[in-house]
Amino acid sequence: MLSSCVGLTVHFSEDGISSAVGEARGGVAHEQRPTWERHEHPRKRSIRSKWTIVLISSMAAHVVTAGSGIYTLSYDQFRNEWGTSREVSTLGLSLYTLAMGLGPLVIAPLSEFYGRRIIGLCSLVAYLIWLVPCALARNIETELIGRFFTGAAGSAFLSVAGGTVGDVFEPSQLQTPMLVYSTIGFLGPDVGPIFGAVINQYTTWRWSFYVLMICTAILLVFFYFFSPETYAPVLVRWKTERSQKESGLDISVDEQPRSIVRAVLISCTRPFQLLVLDPMVTCLCILTAFTLGIQYLLFGGFTYVFETVYHFELWQIGLTFLGIAVGAFIAMAMDPFWRRYRGKQVKNNNGISEPEFRLPSVAFGALCLPISLFWFGWTSRPSIHWIVPILGTVPFGLGGLFVYSGIWTFLVEAYPIYAASALGANAFTRLVSAAAFPLFGVQMFERMGIGWGASLLGFLTLVAAPFPFIFIRYGKRLRGFSKFAKS
């Protein structure tokens, strides 16, 4: 997602290109004069072509994130086949998610040197290859190793795909395609268990990976034929190199790609500088980390609650995730309201847009999270119909999407030169949290009870809920003190 994302953001002008996030080049923006015709510009493509590119990248992100959740309904079969405990089986989810958090630190700068397309193709091919040992594993050790490298391979679509959306749409047109991309990626962890439950109810767990392999192969074909290169600096460099070769002239290029090793080192270290030195990044990353961590914790939590309290079968447990999905669709439907509200803010600010204008929806979403968790926890009991706790998860999907999409957009606007690092810091904290939370979710519900276990999670989100309210009021002042943000 802007995903989920540490993709590099590029700002275009009619006659030139400015890599506003050229931090791999030392954090200094640069300009290049394109040598292409107007119709060759990535943002001059047809609407159909733009949306095809966005939807293919979005579906790739969806499959990768669904790959995390589809695995979680296989634990009982692992226990029967290999004698593994739930905790050991859960490591397959945690390692996959951890790899998704670490991979973009290396993959994101590579797209600046080689382009989006080759990174996406390599990612899909590697993802498909590493699904094979996952599907054919004969012991849990092979399964866990395969899961880690599968997550690392698929992480490109959580780092580069968001940048692809920005490549083909103007900033004024970006909100809708970015929301679509964010929603499709956000739904992946919830769609995965729905299919995983049906598969594990009626066939072997290996078909979970066969289904992923089929989907990945189809996406690979679509990506190869319908998703061209969109990263403008790479396109300019290619065209310049072709012109030099055709003319036979030894013309020096203004800006050659700098050391890949140096770019990767910067990509790996600067996100942590932002996390430590910038309080706005730190606090907003904590909010998104809690949100995604709890979302992943509910993989095991839903199984425990609806199996022990309501005695659901496996396929029925998978359908309980529809509550979060419904909330996400409601959030999409509310997007016109937030756009109008932001338009009024800009108008009242003499037509000047501020990054903090992106945060009201985040503040609303942050309040939805604890409400959802308290509702879910204290209504999950035999005396209350099962639909009530499922309805309690709807605000979580609603709030989660608002929190993610609003914070990602805010970070890009507030930290234009260091947007990739800000998004990298956010992606790393979110996915590390998502790797850790599932390891203690079921044990927490068992020892504390469902009500108090969900309440503990609710109190965590309640602690982080004031952050967007504070930054709505004081964010501009804090950006003035930041060496990373644009005041």
Side-chain angles (χ1 to χ4, degrees):
M1 310 172 182
L2 173 67
S3 297
S4 310
C5 314
V6 286
L8 301 177
T9 305
V10 179
H11 299 281
F12 295 82
S13 62
E14 288 300 319
D15 62 345
I17 303 169
S18 173
S19 178
V21 209
E23 54 193 86
R25 297 182 172 91
V28 180
H30 72 285
E31 291 194 356
Q32 292 176 314
R33 296 290 178 181
T35 57
W36 49 35
E37 300 296 330
R38 182 182 178 87
H39 70 277
E40 295 177 308
H41 198 292
R43 289 184 177 171
K44 302 304 178 183
R45 291 183 168 275
S46 66
I47 294 297
R48 178 184 297 180
S49 176
K50 291 179 180 180
W51 275 106
T52 299
I53 294 169
V54 169
L55 290 175
I56 290 173
S57 295
S58 300
M59 288 306 302
H62 179 84
V63 169
V64 171
T65 53
S68 62
I70 199 172
Y71 165 88
T72 60
L73 278 299
S74 304
Y75 295 166
D76 289 341
Q77 290 198 30
F78 289 161
R79 184 182 66 245
N80 296 334
E81 184 171 341
W82 296 328
T84 56
S85 65
R86 172 175 289 274
E87 291 77 12
V88 172
S89 297
T90 305
L91 284 175
L93 171 63
S94 297
L95 289 171
Y96 184 97
T97 311
L98 180 63
M100 286 197 299
L102 296 175
L105 297 176
V106 177
I107 292 173
L110 294 182
S111 70
E112 181 177 350
F113 293 95
Y114 300 112
R116 318 283 197 201
R117 176 176 164 82
I118 188 63
I119 296 297
L121 285 172
C122 291
S123 175
L124 285 172
V125 171
Y127 190 76
L128 184 59
I129 290 173
W130 280 105
L131 283 172
V132 174
C134 291
L136 303 180
R138 293 290 181 260
N139 53 64
I140 190 62
E141 292 82 5
T142 302
E143 188 67 43
L144 295 181
I145 293 172
R147 287 287 292 174
F148 179 83
F149 285 104
T150 304
S155 66
F157 287 97
L158 303 182
S159 59
V160 175
T164 300
V165 179
D167 289 344
V168 297
F169 281 96
E170 299 288 347
S172 60
Q173 304 171 331
L174 194 58
Q175 182 163 339
T176 299
M178 192 59 72
L179 180 65
V180 170
Y181 168 67
S182 300
T183 304
I184 293 175
F186 175 80
L187 290 174
D190 300 308
V191 172
I194 295 174
F195 286 95
V198 175
I199 291 169
N200 284 275
Q201 176 81 34
Y202 297 106
T203 184
T204 174
W205 62 268
R206 299 183 190 278
W207 268 101
S208 299
F209 296 101
Y210 296 151
V211 168
L212 285 175
M213 290 169 68
I214 293 169
C215 293
T216 304
I218 293 172
L219 276 171
L220 181 59
V221 172
F222 276 92
F223 193 93
Y224 182 83
F225 287 104
F226 302 108
S227 188
E229 180 57 56
T230 61
Y231 189 49
V234 170
L235 290 171
V236 170
R237 190 173 74 240
W238 289 353
K239 194 169 182 68
T240 302
E241 290 172 352
R242 285 198 303 269
S243 299
Q244 293 179 18
K245 185 176 181 180
E246 291 170 0
S247 64
L249 298 176
D250 184 16
I251 304 175
S252 61
V253 179
D254 291 338
E255 182 116 12
Q256 293 290 344
R258 301 181 65 178
S259 168
I260 295 179
V261 174
R262 180 175 181 271
V264 171
L265 288 175
I266 292 174
S267 178
C268 291
T269 56
R270 188 164 284 145
F272 298 102
Q273 294 177 13
L274 278 157
L275 275 175
V276 173
L277 301 176
D278 197 296
M280 293 179 72
V281 174
T282 304
C283 293
L284 293 176
C285 285
I286 289 173
L287 176 57
T288 54
F290 284 162
T291 304
L292 191 67
I294 292 169
Q295 185 180 1
Y296 273 68
L297 179 148
L298 292 176
F299 288 153
F302 277 16
T303 302
Y304 175 79
V305 169
F306 291 100
E307 193 174 64
T308 58
V309 177
Y310 296 105
H311 308 292
F312 275 16
E313 295 184 23
L314 198 57
W315 70 270
Q316 294 172 314
I317 292 173
L319 294 178
T320 61
F321 287 86
L322 286 174
I324 297 177
V326 169
F329 283 116
I330 293 175
M332 281 191 68
M334 293 177 65
D335 180 58
F337 166 78
W338 291 112
R339 278 192 290 179
R340 287 195 298 269
Y341 182 78
R342 181 173 176 271
K344 291 180 180 179
Q345 288 182 297
V346 173
K347 183 178 179 181
N348 294 335
N349 196 42
N350 298 319
I352 300 173
S353 177
E354 298 286 355
E356 287 72 27
F357 295 166
R358 301 286 186 180
L359 294 179
S361 62
V362 178
F364 175 79
L367 292 178
C368 291
L369 300 177
I371 292 172
S372 175
L373 292 165
F374 290 131
W375 180 349
F376 171 76
W378 293 106
T379 59
S380 297
R381 54 187 64 191
S383 60
I384 299 177
H385 194 275
W386 52 263
I387 195 62
V388 178
I390 292 177
L391 290 175
T393 65
V394 172
F396 191 92
L398 177 72
L401 187 58
F402 281 147
V403 166
Y404 295 147
S405 59
I407 288 178
W408 295 333
T409 309
F410 169 82
L411 291 175
V412 170
E413 288 194 16
Y415 302 87
I417 303 300
Y418 301 104
S421 287
L423 292 171
N426 186 267
F428 177 79
T429 52
R430 279 186 301 109
L431 292 166
V432 168
S433 175
F437 272 53
L439 296 173
F440 62 81
V442 173
Q443 298 90 324
M444 179 186 68
F445 285 125
E446 288 175 341
R447 296 180 184 180
M448 298 183 65
I450 297 170
W452 284 111
S455 295
L456 176 60
L457 301 176
F459 286 127
L460 287 176
T461 57
L462 199 58
V463 169
F467 293 154
F469 291 95
I470 294 171
F471 298 142
I472 288 172
R473 185 172 181 84
Y474 300 107
K476 186 174 182 179
R477 188 181 307 176
L478 289 172
R479 283 189 289 118
F481 293 108
S482 173
K483 71 175 184 178
F484 299 103
K486 178 181 71 173
S487 62

